[in-house]
């Protein structure tokens, strides 16, 4: 099984009034439960807003620390899920289920293979 990262791309700011966050979270919890039952789930979690981020950057041999997200943008990663899947098609199916539940874009990316000694 390969591992895949499913990231939730969330717009900055509060959700629009038309979004029922309670329903979204119930739907997300159903998908997470299905992942667990299928043995696909490894880890998931939501993140605080990008404004709470701290960036560490090596410059001229010194590590500089700055507030805020690494990249300026109108959306950032709002949450993530790591899954086990036999192939990309299976990972995309889980990503599709998550996209339906959370109603936000989901990026699906495989982890690199571990180096063999």
């Amino acid at each position: 099984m390969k591992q895949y990262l499913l990231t939730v791309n969330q717009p900055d700011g509060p959700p629009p009034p038309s979004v029922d966050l309670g329903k979204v979270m119930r739907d997300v919890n159903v998908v997470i439960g299905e992942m667990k039952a299928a043995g696909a789930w490894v880890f998931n979690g939501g993140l605080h807003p990008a404004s709470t981020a701290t960036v560490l950057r090596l410059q001229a041999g010194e590590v500089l620390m700055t507030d805020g997200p690494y990249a300026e943008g109108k959306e950032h990663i709002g949450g993530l899920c790591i899954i086990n899947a036999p192939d990309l098609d299976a990972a995309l199916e889980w990503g599709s289920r998550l996209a339906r539940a959370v109603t936000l874009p989901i990026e699906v990316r495989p982890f690199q293979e571990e180096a063999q000694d």
Side-chain angles (χ1 to χ4, degrees), residues 7 17 29 32 36 54 60 71 96 100 109 113 115 117:
T7 54
N29 286 331
I32 297 300
K36 288 178 178 181
T54 302
S96 295
R100 284 187 201 98
R109 293 178 67 182
E113 301 282 335
D117 292 327

Side-chain angles (χ1 to χ4, degrees), residues 22-69:
K23 179 182 180 332
V24 168
M25 291 313 301
R26 285 189 301 276
D27 292 348
V28 167
N29 286 331
V30 166
V31 174
I32 297 300
E34 291 170 349
M35 288 176 178
K36 288 178 178 181
W41 180 87
V42 175
F43 173 82
N44 74 283
L47 299 173
H48 286 282
S51 61
T52 66
T54 302
V55 178
L56 304 171
R57 183 185 326 259
L58 184 64
Q59 187 172 348
E62 297 292 322
V63 176
L64 303 178
M65 189 179 323
T66 57
D67 291 337

Side-chain angles (χ1 to χ4, degrees), residues 8 19 24-25 27-28 97-106:
V8 178
V19 174
V24 168
M25 291 313 301
D27 292 348
V28 167
R97 291 182 187 186
L98 192 56
R100 284 187 201 98
V102 81
T103 69
L104 293 170
I106 303 296

